[in-house]
Amino acid sequence: AQKITQTQPGMFVQEKEAVTLDCTYDTSDPSYGLFWYKQPSSGEMIFLIYQGSYDQQNATEGRYSLNFQKARKSANLVISASQLGDSAMYFCAMREGSGYQKVTFGTGTKLQVIP
Amino acid sequence: NAGVTQTPKFQVLKTGQSMTLQCAQDMNHNSMYWYRQDPGMGLRLIYYSASEGTTDKGEVPNGYNVSRLNKREFSLRLESAAPSQTSVYFCASSETWGEQFFGPGTRLTVL
């Protein structure tokens, strides 16, 4: 079974609109962390936001917020007020606890912002 | 601070040749990782090192070996390169529970 599933290979959004990128995860470990990374066409990986499994509130970082629904095992990324520079690949990732340092990535969503 | 550095940036090998990809971090992180990225596959973990002196297999370790030389350096070796190893390779480091910091990547082509 996939540990991290991103079901949207590609998305379009109008500039200044909000967009939600979906991520579901699968783990039986009660202790885990969820991450979102951005990869522009230049290729570097940029950390955006983190949510711990015990965090009571949804994480926010500027225009990025993480809609964490623990019972549904989903960790969707919401980008508000999209900008042209947001066009990139977006990856969801999970680190599981129990002493592991293994981090598993999803296959990514390509977001294109339309002027 | 340079963050995470990788060498080389580009490499072309012939089938059967060997090479070592170098990675170093200056953030005093305990954990280091090697990933490969192929189109449509996301990042797949090859090997990781939770701390100096330890290494563990990830999702796709076959055909690779690693060495955690010290806390700063984590190298990836291809003993006998195959065309299936054509990929972009990323090194990353992190604190135990923190976000990963990635190097710029190495684009490897095996002919």
Side-chain angles (χ1 to χ4, degrees):
Chain A
Q2 292 287 335
K3 290 274 189 180
I4 294 284
T5 303
Q6 294 181 255
T7 56
Q8 306 153 314
M11 293 271 293
F12 290 92
V13 65
Q14 204 75 37
E15 194 178 6
K16 299 178 185 175
E17 296 291 311
V19 63
T20 298
L21 306 184
D22 294 341
C23 173
T24 58
Y25 59 93
D26 181 26
T27 181
S28 57
D29 199 310
S31 181
Y32 54 89
L34 296 156
F35 303 82
W36 277 92
Y37 290 86
K38 173 185 178 180
Q39 186 178 40
S41 56
S42 52
E44 71 268 32
M45 295 288 289
I46 302 167
F47 165 73
L48 294 177
I49 197 166
Y50 167 80
Q51 180 85 41
S53 59
Y54 296 118
D55 293 344
Q56 295 296 315
Q57 302 215 344
N58 287 345
T60 60
E61 289 285 349
R63 292 187 300 111
Y64 304 108
S65 60
L66 200 153
N67 184 359
F68 182 47
Q69 298 187 39
K70 197 169 182 176
R72 295 181 60 190
K73 293 189 175 179
S74 75
N76 299 339
L77 177 71
V78 180
I79 305 175
S80 63
S82 297
Q83 302 172 356
L84 295 178
D86 294 333
S87 294
M89 283 290 289
Y90 289 82
F91 292 97
C92 180
M94 176 174 65
R95 170 184 281 128
E96 294 172 272
S98 306
Y100 276 83
Q101 287 304 303
K102 202 155 59 172
V103 178
T104 308
F105 280 76
T107 53
T109 296
K110 184 172 184 177
L111 177 67
Q112 295 186 65
V113 181
I114 305 165
Chain B
N1 287 349
V4 179
T5 57
Q6 290 182 236
T7 55
K9 285 189 168 49
F10 300 93
Q11 184 71 49
V12 179
L13 293 178
K14 294 181 179 178
T15 297
Q17 287 185 316
S18 62
M19 79 161 295
T20 299
L21 280 65
Q22 306 286 355
C23 174
Q25 52 95 6
D26 62 3
M27 294 172 282
N28 204 35
H29 287 161
N30 284 317
S31 303
M32 297 187 74
Y33 312 78
W34 276 106
Y35 291 91
R36 59 178 289 171
Q37 184 177 28
D38 303 296
M41 302 288 286
L43 277 77
R44 292 184 292 168
L45 183 65
I46 304 171
Y47 272 93
Y48 65 103
S49 170
S51 61
E52 186 179 352
T54 68
T55 60
D56 287 283
K57 294 179 181 179
E59 185 185 352
V60 288
N62 291 346
Y64 305 94
N65 285 302
V66 290
S67 295
R68 183 75 183 267
L69 304 169
N70 47 55
K71 193 169 186 180
R72 288 187 66 247
E73 298 171 289
F74 189 37
S75 62
L76 178 72
R77 183 160 177 84
L78 287 71
E79 290 290 350
S80 179
S84 60
Q85 293 178 306
T86 293
S87 190
V88 180
Y89 291 84
F90 286 98
C91 177
S93 72
S94 73
E95 292 291 353
T96 303
W97 272 97
E99 72 270 25
Q100 292 175 306
F101 292 81
F102 284 82
T106 295
R107 189 173 294 274
L108 175 67
T109 302
V110 183
L111 302 174

